[in-house]
Amino acid sequence: MTAERVLRLLALLQRRASWTATELAAELHVTDRSIRRDVERLRSLGYPVHATGGVGGGYQLGAGTRLPPLLLDDEEAIATAVSLRLASAGTVAGAGEAALRALAKLDQVMPPRLRAEVRAVHGATETLIGPGVEIDADVLMTLARACRDAVRVRFLYSDTERTVEPVRLVTTGRRWYLMAWDADRDDWRTFRLDRMRTVEATTWRFRPREHPDPAAFVQRAVAEAPYRHVARVRLRAAAQEVRERVPPQVGRVEDDGDGWCVLVAAADRLDVIAVHVARLGYEAQVLDPPELRTAATELASRLAALAG
C-alpha cells in the first residue's frame, strides 16, 4: 500500500509545479506526516523533491541528474503517443528518429486498449507536412523494435518474401529506409519502407555483425545505385554550404580542402546532371566521367540557341 501511495505521490508531483503538504494529503487521503515520510522515500530513490517554507511554500519535483520515469494517465498516454506518431513522420531534423525511439518505449508498456485508442485517433487525422511518403506507424514500430532487439524480420518486397537482419532505420526527410543484412542474398541491402508489405518480426535472434555506416550506405543506395550514370564534379564552395543545397537523396558531398568540395551525383542522363550542377552556380570542374563535359557542351549550345 505504501509503495502504491508513493507512486501516486510521484504522479501528483509531475502533474503541476508545486503542492502544499495539505493538498497532497487531501489528494491521497493521508496525514501531513505520511506525506513527509513518502517524500523522504522518493528522495532516497533519487528523486529531487524540493521543499520550500512560508506562505505559498510546498513540495516541488526538481530536475535531477537523470530523467525519472514518467507516470501518465490514460489521456496523457494517448496524447503523447499520437504526438510521437505525428513527429516520427515530421520534417524537423533528427526529431523523427528520436520520436520513433520514444514511441517504441511507450508502445512496449501501453495496454492494448490504449493502443486501439491511439490508432483510432491517428487514423482519423490528416496532416499537411509536405510531399513525403506516409509510412504506417505500426511498421515503423515493428522495425524499430527488431533493430533494438536484434531479431530477424520477414516481409514482402516487390512480391518477393525477404528475411533480413535489421540494423538501422534511416530517413531522408521524405522517405524511410531500412538497412539490413539480407539472409537470402548474403549481403547488405536497403529497403524502402513504403514498399514493404506484411512486415512481421520473428523470434529468431541474430548476433549483430560488423556493418557499414547506415546513413552513408543508404545515401549511396538511393542517390547513386539506381541510375545509369554517376558523376564526380569539383565545386569551388565549402562542403557544408553545398550539403545545405543538395538533398542527401540527390547527391553526396565530400570535402576536398582549400575551399573546394566534390559533388557525387547520379542520373539516367548526363545532361540532367549538367543542369543540376549549373543551377548551383559555383565554379565547377568535371572529374568523371569525361562524357559529362560533352553533355555540358551540347547543353550550352542548346541554351545559347534558345537565348538567341
Side-chain angles (χ1 to χ4, degrees):
M1 189 66 178
T2 301
E4 179 184 351
R5 191 174 69 235
V6 170
L7 287 176
R8 290 176 59 199
L9 173 60
L10 178 59
L12 288 173
L13 291 172
Q14 291 178 346
R15 186 182 299 176
R16 78 184 200 201
S18 180
W19 294 81
T20 66
T22 302
E23 290 172 332
L24 291 171
E27 288 281 344
L28 298 176
H29 305 291
V30 296
T31 64
D32 290 8
R33 184 178 180 182
S34 295
I35 293 297
R36 288 193 292 273
R37 285 200 301 264
D38 290 346
V39 166
E40 288 304 319
R41 290 190 181 95
L42 286 176
R43 288 170 175 164
S44 68
L45 293 173
Y47 294 97
V49 181
H50 304 310
T52 56
V55 178
Y59 292 106
Q60 183 178 14
L61 185 63
T65 57
R66 59 177 179 169
L67 185 69
L70 296 176
L71 302 178
L72 305 175
D73 60 28
D74 288 1
E75 291 79 8
E76 291 168 340
I78 292 171
T80 301
V82 170
S83 299
L84 289 171
R85 280 179 176 241
L86 294 174
S88 68
T91 58
V92 178
E97 294 89 339
L100 181 58
R101 291 196 303 270
L103 184 57
K105 293 177 182 178
L106 183 59
D107 184 76
Q108 187 175 11
V109 297
M110 183 177 288
R113 59 185 176 82
L114 293 187
R115 288 198 189 101
E117 294 285 346
V118 172
R119 292 192 181 96
V121 175
H122 190 71
T125 305
E126 295 291 341
T127 59
L128 297 175
I129 57 173
V133 177
E134 184 177 353
I135 303 298
D136 188 336
D138 290 333
V139 172
L140 281 173
M141 297 289 301
T142 298
L143 295 175
R145 285 195 295 263
C147 291
R148 179 196 64 195
D149 299 335
V151 296
R152 285 187 171 185
V153 175
R154 280 197 299 264
F155 52 88
L156 290 178
Y157 200 77
S158 300
D159 297 325
T160 302
E161 184 173 277
R162 312 292 282 268
T163 301
V164 304
E165 298 175 358
V167 172
R168 192 72 53 81
L169 290 166
V170 179
T171 177
T172 65
R174 295 184 65 252
R175 292 191 176 93
W176 283 85
Y177 297 87
L178 173 70
M179 175 186 162
W181 178 264
D182 192 318
D184 299 319
R185 290 154 179 79
D186 201 35
D187 200 3
W188 295 107
R189 289 289 189 271
T190 295
F191 303 94
R192 274 179 50 174
L193 267 63
D194 58 301
R195 294 178 177 174
M196 293 181 178
R197 299 292 181 269
T198 62
V199 179
E200 60 176 3
T202 70
T203 57
W204 183 287
R205 298 185 66 88
F206 62 88
R207 184 185 298 275
R209 63 185 76 214
E210 292 292 327
H211 58 77
D213 176 76
F217 185 85
V218 170
Q219 185 181 23
R220 286 187 175 90
V222 302
E224 301 172 25
Y227 300 103
R228 180 181 175 187
H229 301 287
V230 178
R232 291 171 55 85
V233 180
R234 195 164 180 255
L235 303 175
R236 187 188 287 276
Q240 185 57 39
E241 180 182 340
V242 179
R243 289 190 187 103
E244 292 173 357
R245 300 185 58 186
V246 178
Q249 66 270 21
V250 173
R252 177 164 48 91
V253 182
E254 303 169 353
D255 193 353
D256 199 38
D258 296 328
W260 290 79
C261 66
V262 174
L263 172 64
V264 182
D268 289 329
R269 292 171 45 187
L270 288 172
D271 58 346
V272 172
I273 299 176
V275 169
H276 286 316
V277 172
R279 290 181 62 187
L280 290 174
Y282 301 117
E283 180 183 345
Q285 301 172 356
V286 174
L287 300 180
D288 55 74
E291 293 79 10
L292 179 57
R293 297 190 184 92
T294 303
T297 300
E298 294 174 352
L299 177 63
S301 297
R302 293 198 299 270
L303 291 174
L306 178 64

